[in-house]
């Protein structure tokens, strides 16, 4: 008789908000630059995100969600001297500071991998799951996410017997959360090797993750032997603005591009020493160039273990459309490899802003008891997914040009969407 594993990973996805748009706000994010100024489709974007959540839930995995943030963020705009009602603040900011207004209106909180860094209970000194909300200090449009993210984390993971939720690291030291975090552990509920990847400034694109923030997070979370590893300058220059664009880890597998890390020999040796059954599945540049990996988001896939212990990659469909990546997947994923199956999902609207399947989720490894302590309205079953789908269908705009962001009707629509979501959360309570 097999017993159910005591821990499982639950993915909390950011529900894509009604102001999803292509304003080209992220220097170094090539997809976002390429699609800047285009029409976005917020409703389709959110439905694609929900369909991905449904796919994972259908595969037997735990699925939760975060709410979209209140956008445009009038409270943030007030800090720039705009006053009056929210509508007056927004109207003046739109006229006088259109770039600032676009930054205040961004739906970027959808990329939940940037919400926080999470150290699961088996790794930490006090046996609780620790979260540090990411300051996202490098990009103006992301720098005002953390207060609402912190509120949501404290609400969802409120039970201090299991969870500790920390304030952000001081903003001088950039931190972009779990997008630069990896954990190797076998079994998954054993103590893991935690890795944080930082960038060195000085290249053509900003390095968003500082080494100081990585070390601060290990200290706060009570991680004894965490590894801080430098991302390679080539990867950053090629558009890997987060490590999760060129590497992903799960259980004892590190799946990474050959050029992901500055000193991979030292990194691989340190990992091998700490993780005896480590498998490094490295994709050579001769088979998939950094450019193809970044354009397809091969490594921004979710590497998961299904209830039957098969391992699967949840990949963006762009991987099937990128010839070198398709060839690599066809010859390396299957019954004989460490990864048994590939599932392709359509999150194209998010991809056009540089956010793949893995960007949209925050992984939280939970014991059965800790999972029961999670706020139940943020955990999804089929009915919960249906509810979200209906609300999105009723309240999200179909299309949005960056120039539509200044329409008062859009702001009002955003408020109506939040009211509907709040109501749905109440309904979801047992
Ligand atoms: O921070 N895009 C996000 C994408 C984040 C992806 N997350 C992970 N890799 N985990 C970013 O660059 C584009 C928004 C705009 O340009 O309007 C944006 O913010």
């Amino acid at each position: 008789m097999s017993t159910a594993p005591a821990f499982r990973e639950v993915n909390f996805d950011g529900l894509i908000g009604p102001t999803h748009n292509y304003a080209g706000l992220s220097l170094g994010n090539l997809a976002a630059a390429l699609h800047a100024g285009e029409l976005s489709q917020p409703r389709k974007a959110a439905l694609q995100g929900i369909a991905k959540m449904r796919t994972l839930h259908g595969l037997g995995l735990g699925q939760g969600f975060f709410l979209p943030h209140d956008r445009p963020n009038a409270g943030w705009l007030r800090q720039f001297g705009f006053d009056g009602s929210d509508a007056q603040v927004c109207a003046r900011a739109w006229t006088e500071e259109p770039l600032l207004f676009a930054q205040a209106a961004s739906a970027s909180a959808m990329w939940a991998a940037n919400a926080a860094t999470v150290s699961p209970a088996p790794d930490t000194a006090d046996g609780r799951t620790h979260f540090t909300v990411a300051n996202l200090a490098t990009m103006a449009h992301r720098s005002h996410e953390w207060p609402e993210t912190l509120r949501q984390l404290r609400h969802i993971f409120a039970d201090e017997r299991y969870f500790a939720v920390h304030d952000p690291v001081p903003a001088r030291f950039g931190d972009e959360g779990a997008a630069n975090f990896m954990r190797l552990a076998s079994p998954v509920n054993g103590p893991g090797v935690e890795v944080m990847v930082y960038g060195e400034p000085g290249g053509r694109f900003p390095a968003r993750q500082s080494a100081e923030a990585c070390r601060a997070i290990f200290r706060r979370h009570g991680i004894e032997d965490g590894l801080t590893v430098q991302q390679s300058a080539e990867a950053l220059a090629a558009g890997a603005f987060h490590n999760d664009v060129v590497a992903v880890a799960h259980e004892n597998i590190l799946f990474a591009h050959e050029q992901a890390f500055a000193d991979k020999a030292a990194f691989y040796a340190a990992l091998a020493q700490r993780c005896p059954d480590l498998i490094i599945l490295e994709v050579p540049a001769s088979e998939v160039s950094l450019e193809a990996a970044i354009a397809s988001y091969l490594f921004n896939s979710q590497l998961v273990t299904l209830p039957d212990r098969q391992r699967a990659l949840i990949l963006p469909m762009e991987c099937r459309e990128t010839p070198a990546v398709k060839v690599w997947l066809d010859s390396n994923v299957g019954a004989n490899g460490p990864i048994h199956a590939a599932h392709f999902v359509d999150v194209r609207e998010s991809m056009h802003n540089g956010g793949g399947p893995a960007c949209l989720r925050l992984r939280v490894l939970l014991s059965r008891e800790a999972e029961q302590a999670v706020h139940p309205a943020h955990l999804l079953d089929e009915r919960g997914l249906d509810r979200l789908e209906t609300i999105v269908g009723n309240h999200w705009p179909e299309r949005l040009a960056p120039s539509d962001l200044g329409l008062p009707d859009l702001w009002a629509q955003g408020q109506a969407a939040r009211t509907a979501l709040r109501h749905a959360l109440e309904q979801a309570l047992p």
Side-chain angles (χ1 to χ4, degrees), residues 47-396:
L47 293 175
Q48 287 173 345
I50 295 169
K52 169 171 98 71
M53 294 191 235
R54 208 186 275 284
T55 300
L56 275 108
H57 179 260
L59 289 169
L61 301 170
Q63 185 65 54
F65 78 106
F66 295 113
L67 292 170
H69 290 192
D70 193 6
R71 295 289 180 268
N73 187 347
W76 188 62
L77 289 171
R78 282 199 169 80
Q79 295 180 41
F80 294 87
F82 298 108
D83 56 16
S85 67
D86 283 2
Q88 286 167 330
V89 164
C90 289
R92 267 193 66 199
W94 170 247
T95 317
E96 293 174 26
E97 299 259 17
L99 174 60
L100 193 67
F101 184 82
Q103 290 160 344
S106 175
S108 53
M110 68 171 83
W111 297 298
N114 304 118
T117 305
V118 187
S119 294
D123 304 352
T124 63
D126 67 4
R128 295 187 296 166
T129 298
H130 285 250
F131 300 76
T132 290
V133 69
N135 63 30
L136 293 167
T138 307
M139 295 291 159
H141 67 292
R142 307 215 60 182
S143 65
H144 58 100
E145 285 176 33
W146 71 262
E148 182 164 348
T149 304
L150 187 60
R151 277 196 295 279
Q152 291 197 36
L153 289 171
R154 293 216 159 116
H155 180 68
I156 300 172
F157 304 102
D159 191 329
E160 293 182 358
R161 286 173 304 165
Y162 301 104
F163 308 118
V165 180
H166 302 270
D167 287 344
V169 169
R172 169 72 180 76
F173 301 98
D175 171 31
E176 305 259 329
N180 296 311
F181 173 92
M182 299 187 289
R183 174 177 190 266
L184 289 131
S186 173
V188 75
N189 56 348
V193 182
E194 296 200 357
V195 180
M196 291 204 70
V197 183
Y198 63 91
E200 279 299 341
R204 66 180 180 133
F205 294 142
R208 302 198 203 177
Q209 184 76 32
S210 67
E212 288 87 349
C214 302
R215 293 193 295 267
I217 289 168
F218 285 147
R219 268 180 229 115
R220 288 154 159 230
H221 292 192
I223 303 300
E224 278 266 305
D225 195 22
L227 292 174
T228 47
V229 177
Q230 191 190 326
Q231 188 183 38
S232 78
E234 303 98 279
L236 193 57
F241 54 93
H242 291 135
N243 173 64
D244 68 2
V245 177
V246 281
V248 59
H250 172 67
E251 295 184 336
N252 59 331
I253 302 182
L254 171 66
F255 177 43
H257 191 270
E258 183 185 2
Q259 292 163 287
F261 308 107
D263 183 354
K264 73 170 181 175
F267 173 40
Y268 291 174
L271 270 186
Q273 199 189 20
R274 291 166 173 78
C275 184
D277 58 351
L278 176 71
I279 298 173
I280 298 179
L281 191 55
E282 190 186 80
V283 179
S286 57
E287 293 178 33
V288 176
S289 65
L290 258 184
E291 288 66 31
I294 291 170
S296 66
Y297 264 37
L298 169 62
F299 298 97
N300 201 261
S301 47
Q302 292 178 249
L303 181 50
V304 295
T305 301
L306 303 180
D308 62 3
R309 302 296 306 152
Q310 296 275 303
R311 280 160 169 162
L313 269 178
I314 315 296
L315 300 140
M317 59 188 218
E318 284 74 0
C319 289
R320 229 173 13 196
E321 297 162 0
T322 307
V325 172
K326 183 175 185 309
V327 169
W328 190 89
L329 287 169
D330 285 345
S331 40
N332 289 281
V333 172
N336 300 325
I339 303 177
H340 308 108
H343 297 271
F344 296 89
V345 291
D346 178 2
V347 288
R348 185 97 78 193
E349 282 287 312
S350 168
M351 284 286 284
H352 284 181
N353 251 339
C359 298
L360 286 163
R361 64 90 174 93
L362 186 69
R363 275 193 272 193
V364 188
L365 180 73
L366 294 167
S367 67
R368 224 169 307 164
E369 298 76 32
E371 191 171 333
Q372 270 158 17
V374 171
H375 196 296
H378 286 266
L379 291 172
L380 288 165
D381 55 13
E382 286 294 334
R383 279 191 52 211
L385 288 159
D386 291 345
R387 253 190 229 117
L388 291 184
E389 225 168 60
T390 306
I391 294 172
V392 167
N394 289 339
H395 294 281
W396 265 236

